[in-house]
Amino acid sequence: GIQVEQSPPDLILQEGANSTLRCNFSDSVNNLQWFHQNPWGQLINLFYIPSGTKQNGRLSATTVATERYSLLYISSSQTTDSGVYFCAVVSGSARQLTFGSGTQLTVLP
Amino acid sequence: SQTIHQWPATLVQPVGSPLSLECTVEGTSNPNLYWYRQAAGRGLQLLFYSVGIGQISSEVPQNLSASRPQDRQFILSSKKLLLSDSGFYLCAWSVGFSLENEQFFGPGTRLTVL
């Protein structure tokens, strides 16, 4: 099956800093999503982005499908951005999302 | 708008006891429904998915089963829980009849088996 790798595994930032999270995948994808898992475990949809670039406030994402990677940008980070960020993909005829192992982000005040 | 509910939110069960977790979706018809498990750590693993009433596909052989008795209801069950069944169980939905669609997750059930 498809492999999804996220980097870095852990990231510690000072409030106000910018960051880039990366997601590499091993095959072509029909669906790519970025999620933020908050401290209560809720998976919050950030972007549905199988290709192209999207922006939502301080967050933006870019997927270069031909090179099999996606980037999540967080600008002017806030303490509420802390949590685990997941990239997940659907490939081929599969219906399920295959998740990466996540990036644990900690934003310090 | 669509919403997805799961209950209970938390559950502590002894080894060998039965399990029933429920997931319901509102505001959409004929959704694809999914059960995922997140063990200690970060990875999420698909357990079951369903494209319609009574249609269940299992991804991982295990001690669990799933049923879809109604269009927007998805149930995860076990006859006898194992210690290894502990984890965070998440239900998700997506629009039916499409592979290229976005999945949305419920709030989850945290299960501890003692």
Side-chain angles (χ1 to χ4, degrees):
Chain A
I2 191 168
Q3 303 299 311
V4 182
E5 296 181 355
Q6 290 187 244
S7 59
D10 298 278
L11 185 59
I12 300 175
L13 301 173
Q14 208 67 38
E15 196 168 26
N18 303 327
S19 61
T20 301
L21 283 57
R22 187 177 180 101
C23 172
N24 292 332
F25 42 94
S26 60
D27 204 347
S28 58
V29 298
N30 303 315
N31 174 1
L32 188 146
Q33 293 183 241
W34 282 99
F35 297 92
H36 175 214
Q37 188 167 37
N38 65 22
W40 297 272
Q42 176 79 52
L43 275 173
I44 300 166
N45 290 45
L46 298 178
F47 294 102
Y48 170 73
I49 187 167
S51 63
T53 297
K54 291 186 177 180
Q55 181 161 4
N56 184 4
R58 296 182 295 104
L59 274 61
S60 63
T62 296
T63 297
V64 183
T66 53
E67 297 186 21
R68 299 180 182 171
Y69 73 89
S70 183
L71 302 174
L72 177 68
Y73 305 96
I74 304 174
S75 64
S76 304
S77 58
Q78 302 175 357
T79 55
T80 52
D81 294 332
S82 296
V84 183
Y85 289 80
F86 287 104
C87 168
V89 303
V90 175
S91 178
S93 60
R95 294 185 180 275
Q96 72 275 16
L97 285 167
T98 298
F99 281 76
S101 55
T103 293
Q104 173 76 59
L105 175 65
T106 303
V107 181
L108 302 175
Chain B
S1 64
Q2 299 86 5
T3 55
I4 179 169
H5 304 280
Q6 288 186 244
W7 62 92
T10 59
L11 191 59
V12 180
Q13 292 286 93
V15 170
S17 63
L19 174 73
S20 181
L21 304 181
E22 190 164 343
C23 169
T24 59
V25 180
E26 297 177 354
T28 187
S29 296
N30 199 30
N32 296 324
L33 296 173
Y34 311 83
W35 279 111
Y36 290 85
R37 177 169 61 196
Q38 186 176 31
R42 300 171 185 174
L44 279 85
Q45 180 186 43
L46 179 73
L47 302 175
F48 301 96
Y49 71 89
S50 172
V51 299
I53 295 174
Q55 301 179 61
I56 309 294
S57 296
S58 174
E59 290 297 308
V60 181
Q62 65 226 319
N63 185 44
L64 303 170
S65 62
S67 62
R68 185 170 176 174
Q70 300 180 38
D71 181 44
R72 289 169 287 179
Q73 183 185 32
F74 206 20
I75 297 173
L76 184 69
S77 303
S78 174
K79 293 182 179 178
K80 290 186 177 181
L81 284 168
L82 306 173
L83 286 174
S84 58
D85 292 323
S86 292
F88 190 48
Y89 289 82
L90 291 147
C91 181
W93 75 273
S94 64
V95 173
F97 303 115
S98 175
L99 289 176
E100 300 178 6
N101 52 64
E102 188 173 3
Q103 292 189 24
F104 300 88
F105 284 79
T109 295
R110 201 166 300 278
L111 172 65
T112 303
V113 182
L114 301 175

